[in-house]
Amino acid sequence: MPLDHTATAVGLRPGNGSLDLCAPFGLSDLLGGVVRPNKRQIRREIYEQKVTRWIKVWPGLGVVGWVK
């Protein structure tokens, strides 16, 4: 599986007085503010439109471009 949705592959659930974290691809992209295209769910044009909107809100966002 390509690592194209690492920042959204994160889950939390209540555990015995704490939270259980599941992050199979780690937390680097989420905590580092990095977005990557998920080519299985979105077309290039839509991704680029979203990125344009996102970087206006979060100017320091790291964006991985659409690679063929």
Side-chain angles (χ1 to χ4, degrees), residues 8-66:
T8 60
V10 176
L12 285 173
R13 69 177 174 197
N16 298 321
S18 64
L19 293 174
D20 292 330
L21 171 68
C22 180
F25 302 112
L27 297 172
S28 298
D29 283 354
L30 179 64
L31 298 176
V34 176
V35 294
R36 299 173 187 274
N38 184 342
K39 297 176 185 177
R40 293 179 181 159
Q41 295 182 342
I42 199 167
R43 293 188 330 264
R44 180 180 190 152
E45 298 79 24
I46 294 171
Y47 176 68
E48 290 173 351
Q49 288 172 2
K50 287 183 176 199
V51 165
T52 299
R53 192 173 67 240
W54 294 337
I55 59 176
K56 289 178 185 174
V57 177
W58 301 289
L61 189 65
V63 176
V64 175
W66 194 281

